[in-house]
Amino acid sequence: MRAVLAALGTLVAVVAVVGLAMVWIYNGPGPAAQGGGKAGAVANVVLRRGASLPEIAASLETGGAIRSSSIFMTAAKLTGAARA
């Protein structure tokens, strides 16, 4: 029983750390600010009408508007923005 509780506690701790890291990355400055550019720098990205969420995420990451397409997709799904 102790082993199960210890494993569960470890799992909860790992999930909490990963969740906090995702929030920190999501709310942090974008790639332009981190790459030596000015904070609030503009990144122009053209999206195809009717593009899927993975396609939009990949375009934004390639264009330098976001750092991580997987974090963007997760946030879109969690906030409900992916349903639009």
Side-chain angles (χ1 to χ4, degrees), residues 2 7 10 22-23 25 32 42 57 60 62 64 73 77:
R2 279 187 190 260
T10 301
M22 287 180 65
V23 168
I25 290 169
V42 175
L60 291 173
T62 302
M73 288 192 302
K77 290 175 184 176

Side-chain angles (χ1 to χ4, degrees), residues 48-77:
R48 181 181 64 80
R49 183 181 300 265
S52 65
L53 179 60
E55 185 180 345
I56 291 169
S59 296
L60 291 173
E61 185 175 33
T62 302
I66 61 173
R67 278 189 300 216
S68 171
S69 60
S70 57
I71 291 177
F72 176 84
M73 288 192 302
T74 301
K77 290 175 184 176

Side-chain angles (χ1 to χ4, degrees), residues 1-11:
M1 185 65 169
R2 279 187 190 260
V4 172
L5 289 176
L8 184 60
T10 301
L11 179 63

Side-chain angles (χ1 to χ4, degrees), residues 16-26 71:
V17 168
V18 169
L20 288 172
M22 287 180 65
V23 168
W24 181 72
I25 290 169
Y26 180 75
I71 291 177

Side-chain angles (χ1 to χ4, degrees), residues 26-39:
Y26 180 75
N27 289 320
Q34 289 186 350
K38 290 173 28 179

